[in-house]
């Protein structure tokens, strides 16, 4: 019921005490689900919820106060070690850069030396998952970075599966042309590598005419000309079923249009990351490790694994105090500010206040030095390790024991 109300843009937590559950379930045609939930809560020996934020609506709608909070944990041993992650970051970032080059370089020059990659990954719940405020905060960030004439580029990946028709032909063509150029360089590597070493040792200067054979240079020049395109890169990798898609519409409204002058470059990736999609060619966890920041500013989220999954892979994350995990972390991090996971304050805050706060976090994050970013990665991993099932299983055992005693 809470998800339904939040998804229909009702200010759930502000009006919680005023909601008449019986009227609302009829209005949204969820009577059977509501009755099942309420009866289950009433008849159970022990009533549990995932988190404190869950408990607020459960007590109001189901008319029973939870006996226990049962936060979800991670099997930390199933994830790579910090040392492995640091190596993986370089490998997977190189692959991700290949995709970004193929996507943007046909239109204008891309510099990865001074860039950051952030991402949001979620179901397509535009409001509930905070996609709306993320895009608006990115719009403000883009405007600010342009005003300040900053050289840094922010790549924002919107990893949100949606209904699609096919991959955009221009995207496929760019990727094929890019890989053709790379393959040609590999095919003739024996030639240009030898010329490169000779030029370096003989102090002839590292210039293309000293390195590339004339025929190879002409061949590559033709392929590069074929690679180049007019206009701006698209906002999405696919043609979408919905011609009025709200994500694309909002990107345009926020002037996130991937122009050469934009400092925030956004790509809506409406497909599941399998590792062999022919585009990014990284699976979900590999894409996380290739990134610098995960952003999860949910409005409605009973728990929220994604910030923890991101942090356990030593990637800083932004969570929300309206998510169960974020609310839990909010108390956990009181003595340790900015410890790899940032908690966006959304509880009883307006959307505009949330946008302002998220913008400030993003702006501050992009100002971090390389050393500060490295520290954030390490701290993110440390915080996430607390959520190992070894630490959280006691909550489940206590609930089980109480249930057993109740039934005796």
């Amino acid at each position: 019921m809470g998800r339904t109300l939040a998804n229909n843009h009702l200010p759930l937590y502000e009006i919680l005490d005023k909601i008449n559950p019986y009227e609302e379930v009829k209005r949204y045609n969820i009577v059977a689900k509501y009755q099942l939930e309420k009866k289950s809560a009433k008849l159970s020996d022990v009533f549990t919820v995932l988190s404190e934020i869950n408990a607020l609506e459960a007590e109001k709608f189901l008319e029973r106060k939870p006996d226990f909070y049962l936060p979800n944990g991670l099997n930390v041993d199933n994830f790579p070690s910090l040392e492995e992650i640091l190596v993986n970051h370089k490998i997977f970032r190189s692959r991700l850069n290949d995709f970004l080059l193929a996507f943007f370089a046909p239109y204008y020059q891309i510099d990865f030396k001074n860039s950051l990659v952030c991402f949001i990954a979620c179901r397509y719940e535009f409001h509930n998952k905070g996609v709306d405020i993320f895009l608006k905060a990115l719009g403000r960030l883009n405007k600010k970075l342009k005003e300040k004439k900053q050289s840094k580029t922010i790549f924002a990946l919107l990893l949100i599966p949606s209904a699609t028709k096919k991959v955009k032909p221009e995207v496929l063509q760019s990727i094929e042309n890019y890989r053709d150029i790379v393959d040609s360089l590999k095919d003739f590597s024996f030639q240009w590598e030898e010329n490169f070493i000779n030029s370096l040792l003989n102090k002839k200067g590292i210039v293309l005419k000293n390195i590339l054979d004339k025929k190879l240079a002409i061949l590559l020049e033709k392929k590069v000309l074929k690679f180049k395109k007019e206009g701006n890169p698209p906002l999405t990798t696919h043609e979408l079923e919905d011609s009025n898609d709200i994500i694309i519409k909002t990107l345009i409204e926020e002037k996130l249009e991937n122009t050469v002058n934009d400092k925030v470059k956004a790509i809506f990736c409406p497909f599941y990351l399998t590792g062999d999609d022919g585009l990014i060619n990284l699976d979900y966890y590999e894409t996380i490790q290739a990134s610098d920041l995960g952003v999860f500013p949910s409005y409605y989220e009973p728990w929220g694994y994604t910030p923890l999954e991101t942090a356990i892979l030593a990637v800083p994350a932004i969570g929300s105090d309206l998510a169960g995990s974020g609310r839990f972390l909010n108390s956990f991090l009181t003595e340790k500010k900015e410890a790899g996971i940032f908690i966006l304050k959304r509880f009883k805050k307006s959307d505009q206040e949330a946008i302002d706060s998220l913008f400030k976090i993003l702006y501050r994050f992009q100002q971090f030095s390389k050393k500060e970013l490295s520290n954030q990665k390490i701290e993110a991993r440390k915080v996430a390790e607390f959520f190992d099932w070894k630490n959280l299983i006691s909550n489940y055992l206590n609930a089980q024991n109480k249930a057993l005693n109740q039934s005796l």
Side-chain angles (χ1 to χ4, degrees):
M1 181 173 173
R3 185 183 300 278
T4 300
L5 298 181
N7 204 40
N8 281 277
H9 291 260
L10 270 73
L12 178 63
Y13 303 102
E14 288 85 341
I15 63 171
L16 193 62
D17 292 335
K18 301 174 184 177
I19 293 173
N20 184 322
Y22 301 100
E23 289 180 2
E24 298 302 327
V25 295
K26 290 176 187 175
R27 188 195 314 274
Y28 294 105
N29 196 28
I30 52 172
V31 174
K33 290 181 180 179
Y34 171 70
Q35 289 176 337
L36 179 62
E37 283 187 350
K38 187 174 181 182
K39 186 63 72 173
S40 297
K42 183 178 180 180
L43 296 179
S44 61
D45 294 311
V46 172
F47 177 43
T48 70
V49 293
L50 282 169
S51 62
E52 179 190 348
I53 197 73
N54 238 177
L56 295 176
E57 60 178 284
E59 189 171 358
K60 166 65 179 178
F61 297 153
L62 306 183
E63 299 176 4
R64 180 173 175 181
K65 188 174 182 179
D67 299 299
F68 292 95
Y69 300 157
L70 302 184
N72 278 330
L74 299 165
N75 290 318
V76 173
D77 291 341
N78 291 346
F79 290 89
S81 66
L82 182 58
E83 291 77 11
E84 291 172 314
I85 289 167
L86 296 177
V87 173
N88 289 345
H89 173 73
K90 293 182 179 180
I91 296 170
F92 299 143
R93 182 56 158 264
S94 178
R95 291 191 209 168
L96 181 58
N97 284 350
D98 279 344
F99 166 70
L100 295 174
L101 264 175
F103 196 89
F104 289 102
Y107 303 90
Y108 44 70
Q109 186 176 348
I110 291 294
D111 180 15
F112 291 123
K113 292 180 181 178
N114 194 19
S115 66
L116 290 172
V117 176
C118 67
F119 74 94
I120 183 171
C122 59
R123 290 192 303 274
Y124 202 139
E125 295 181 22
F126 188 70
H127 176 64
N128 280 1
K129 297 297 183 180
V131 182
D132 50 356
I133 72 160
F134 179 45
L135 297 184
K136 290 176 182 178
L138 285 178
R140 280 193 58 185
L141 180 65
N142 185 44
K143 183 179 178 182
K144 181 79 168 182
L145 294 179
K146 288 199 288 186
E147 287 174 354
K148 294 284 186 180
K149 296 183 179 179
Q150 297 273 12
S151 59
K152 183 163 286 182
T153 300
I154 312 297
F155 294 101
L157 302 178
L158 313 175
L159 308 176
I160 307 170
S162 182
T164 64
K165 297 177 182 177
K166 61 181 179 179
V167 179
K168 282 180 173 287
E170 61 268 37
V171 173
L172 275 180
Q173 185 184 54
S174 293
I175 289 173
E176 288 173 4
N177 290 342
Y178 172 77
R179 288 172 182 164
D180 184 38
I181 293 169
V182 172
D183 288 343
S184 295
L185 283 169
K186 288 179 180 177
D187 290 341
F188 291 94
S189 61
F190 68 92
Q191 182 188 97
W192 64 261
E193 285 178 0
E194 183 178 308
N195 291 342
F196 178 87
I197 293 169
N198 287 334
S199 295
L200 181 65
L201 296 179
N202 295 321
K203 299 182 179 180
K204 291 182 180 179
I206 308 302
V207 291
L208 283 178
K209 69 178 182 178
N210 294 334
I211 296 171
L212 295 180
D213 174 83
K214 189 174 181 180
K215 289 182 180 179
L216 177 58
I218 293 172
L219 174 66
L220 288 174
E221 187 177 354
K222 288 180 179 178
K223 292 188 176 187
V224 169
L225 285 172
K226 184 181 176 184
F227 179 61
K228 292 300 181 180
K229 286 183 170 67
E230 297 292 330
N232 296 320
L235 296 175
T236 177
T237 56
H238 287 63
E239 293 181 1
L240 304 170
E241 290 282 358
D242 184 359
S243 58
N244 294 310
D245 181 82
I246 187 65
I247 289 178
I248 299 298
K249 184 179 177 181
T250 306
L251 286 170
I252 294 170
E253 286 175 353
E254 296 302 319
K255 302 190 183 307
L256 294 166
E257 298 178 289
N258 287 343
T259 69
V260 65
N261 295 319
D262 284 326
K263 298 302 180 182
V264 176
K265 317 282 191 186
I267 311 178
F268 178 19
C269 303
F271 58 93
Y272 288 99
L273 299 172
T274 60
D276 59 356
D277 48 65
L279 298 173
I280 298 178
N281 285 341
L282 294 171
D283 67 25
Y284 177 59
Y285 287 130
E286 290 169 346
T287 304
I288 291 176
Q289 291 174 81
S291 303
D292 299 297
L293 177 68
V295 186
F296 313 101
S298 297
Y299 182 82
Y300 185 86
E301 194 75 71
W303 180 244
Y305 255 126
T306 43
L308 302 177
E309 287 179 319
T310 300
I312 200 66
L313 291 169
V315 174
I318 299 174
S320 161
D321 68 352
L322 290 182
S325 59
R327 205 164 182 82
F328 189 97
L329 280 162
N330 210 23
S331 58
F332 179 74
L333 296 174
T334 49
E335 300 298 321
K336 211 172 185 183
K337 294 182 180 179
E338 299 182 342
I341 301 182
F342 305 81
I343 304 302
L344 178 67
K345 305 292 192 269
R346 296 205 65 179
F347 186 66
K348 294 191 176 180
K349 301 285 185 183
S350 69
D351 283 356
Q352 189 56 54
E353 288 175 305
I355 293 164
D356 293 343
S357 298
L358 181 55
F359 159 73
K360 289 175 183 176
I361 296 173
L362 291 171
Y363 186 72
R364 174 98 190 281
F365 189 87
Q366 63 84 32
Q367 291 179 308
F368 285 152
S369 66
K370 287 185 177 180
K371 183 177 180 180
E372 287 173 319
L373 286 172
S374 295
N375 289 337
Q376 289 293 330
K377 291 173 75 69
I378 293 167
E379 290 300 323
R381 173 74 180 205
K382 286 180 181 177
V383 172
E385 285 178 344
F386 174 81
F387 289 85
D388 195 316
W389 274 119
K390 294 172 185 174
N391 297 325
L392 298 181
I393 192 63
S394 60
N395 298 300
Y396 283 77
L397 294 175
N398 291 337
Q400 180 185 357
N401 289 336
K402 182 172 181 179
L404 289 171
N405 288 334
Q406 290 282 94
S407 63
L408 292 177

